[in-house]
Amino acid sequence: MRHLMSPLDFTVEELEKLFCLAVEMEKDPDKYAHLCDRKKLATLFYEPSTRTRLSFETAMLNLGGSVIGFADASSSSVSKGESVADTIRVISCFADIAAMRHPKEGAPMVAAANSSIPVINAGDGGHQHPTQTLTDLLTIRALKGHLGNMTVGLCGDLKFGRTVHSLINALVRYEGIRFVFISPEELKVPDYITDMLKEKNIPYEEVIRLEDRIGDLDLLYMTRVQKERFFNEEDYIRLKDFYILDKAKMELAPEKMLVLHPLPRVNEISVDVDDDPRAVYFKQVQYGMYVRMALIATLLELV
Ligand code: NCD
């Protein structure tokens, strides 16, 4: 039995297989419409989510399966003090596969260690968000045609943004990746990530102004300042609108640069960018659903 805790749990070859399956599912949904008949997915969300939870649930429904779970820990036995280990033991009796989001780093790993069904990490604190990374990689692969040889700009909250940490971890396995980290001093990418890049000899730069480097990017990954992970509101208020990608900045960007964002967006991308063909964050949501379909089918060993 396999779980998905980090994007590195799959080899590059296994990821390629997963992406091919996701593309096939998009092309021929009828072929997969009953793959998960009588199977159940449990979504255990201890932290707010719209897209990720509904994406998982829609993915399972598209495969003919059904869904149980909670979207708010206060409405479950967690509010009575139940541990993650006990919750997953119980859920293992009801469902065939589970997706868990938790504010504490490592909670899905505790669940996996106590589970008799596959567990998917749907985001743990500021740590990892592997299915968002699968979404991001599938989007890049589909719209750029390849995953290596590009300059990737990541902009915004690089300190607390778990999607950023997972994506960097995953991209370093492809040839010819260069990173430009664009953030205020307070929200720089953690040292454990830059140490890993140094060790692997992967080129990266850290800059503050988006305008200075937007012209060199093949891909710009915008992120929201992660309000819920700040220790004081003053800092959040000071930093929240540090970057706003607007039409004027897009004029400085290459014609083929893609703009991705895991969503939800707050102010960091002005709505007048949405019509720009380079803005692909809503397409990204669609790819997310297909890649989760492929992931569920793979972890349930139905393909
Ligand atoms: C992201 C997350 O939860 O980390 N959202 C998502 O799952 N698409 C990004 C965010 O909340 O900023």
Side-chain angles (χ1 to χ4, degrees):
M1 187 183 58
R2 284 186 88 166
H3 307 285
L4 179 74
M5 293 296 122
S6 142
L8 303 185
D9 292 351
F10 280 65
T11 64
V12 168
E13 292 72 33
E14 285 173 328
L15 283 184
E16 189 51 32
K17 228 173 123 189
L18 192 79
F19 298 146
C20 290
L21 178 61
V23 168
E24 210 185 299
M25 286 174 157
E26 182 186 9
K27 275 203 210 117
D28 192 359
D30 290 348
K31 186 173 160 196
Y32 298 94
H34 294 287
L35 192 68
C36 287
D37 276 359
R38 306 186 60 79
K39 300 275 183 206
K40 288 182 211 75
L41 164 76
T43 50
L44 313 175
F45 276 60
Y46 295 75
E47 203 187 53
S49 164
T50 319
R51 204 160 350 263
T52 304
R53 185 173 56 81
L54 296 183
S55 175
F56 267 113
E57 297 189 357
T58 311
M60 191 50 156
L61 297 175
N62 286 346
L63 294 168
S66 42
V67 178
I68 59 168
F70 53 85
D72 174 8
S74 64
S75 66
S76 74
S77 279
V78 176
S79 63
K80 300 182 188 166
E82 187 174 56
S83 68
V84 162
D86 279 5
T87 302
I88 197 71
R89 281 194 195 107
V90 171
I91 297 295
S92 295
C93 304
F94 302 146
D96 302 280
I97 184 163
M100 176 180 285
R101 167 167 292 192
H102 204 287
K104 282 211 183 97
E105 280 89 0
M109 292 73 174
V110 173
N114 289 281
S115 177
S116 54
I117 58 173
V119 178
I120 301 167
N121 176 2
D124 63 323
H127 186 216
Q128 296 275 338
H129 192 346
T131 62
Q132 182 63 47
T133 299
L134 300 183
T135 302
D136 302 338
L137 294 179
L138 178 61
T139 307
I140 300 166
R141 182 185 177 278
L143 302 178
K144 282 262 181 222
H146 57 93
L147 278 163
N149 299 312
M150 57 182 96
T151 304
V152 179
L154 294 114
C155 176
D157 188 345
L158 310 187
K159 178 179 179 185
F160 296 117
R162 56 191 171 198
T163 62
V164 167
H165 307 155
S166 282
L167 183 59
I168 298 170
N169 269 332
L171 278 175
V172 297
R173 298 194 292 181
Y174 298 91
E175 292 279 311
I177 291 286
R178 301 164 293 275
F179 292 108
V180 181
F181 299 135
I182 308 151
S183 76
E185 194 60 35
E186 295 90 331
L187 298 178
K188 276 166 77 169
V189 85
D191 289 345
Y192 79 87
I193 292 192
T194 47
D195 290 347
M196 178 270 292
L197 296 175
K198 282 181 206 142
E199 203 178 292
K200 293 186 190 296
N201 278 321
I202 297 180
Y204 72 90
E205 277 173 76
E206 297 183 284
V207 301
I208 295 180
R209 277 167 44 91
L210 176 57
E211 299 87 315
D212 291 347
R213 294 307 307 277
I214 196 170
D216 305 323
L217 306 178
D218 298 301
L219 192 103
L220 173 59
Y221 195 87
M222 292 297 293
T223 61
R224 162 182 82 88
V225 175
Q226 306 280 298
K227 182 179 183 190
E228 63 278 36
R229 311 218 191 280
F230 272 73
F231 295 110
N232 73 66
E233 202 175 347
E234 247 168 64
D235 285 347
Y236 171 69
I237 290 168
R238 187 166 49 80
L239 294 168
K240 72 183 174 63
D241 295 328
F242 203 92
Y243 298 106
I244 299 182
L245 180 65
D246 56 14
K247 266 203 158 117
K249 290 196 191 86
M250 285 301 283
E251 273 169 27
L252 306 172
E255 205 188 317
K256 293 211 161 130
M257 184 192 81
L258 296 181
V259 183
L260 276 75
H261 190 308
L263 303 178
R265 144 175 70 183
V266 186
N267 282 329
E268 57 282 351
I269 304 180
S270 149
V271 289
D272 66 12
V273 173
D274 295 357
D275 294 336
D276 190 306
R278 294 168 289 184
V280 297
Y281 27 89
F282 292 113
K283 275 194 198 147
Q284 205 179 334
V285 176
Q286 267 179 328
Y287 287 118
M289 186 190 70
Y290 290 114
V291 91
R292 289 185 176 95
M293 287 169 68
L295 177 67
I296 292 170
T298 303
L299 294 180
L300 286 175
E301 298 177 359
L302 297 170
V303 280

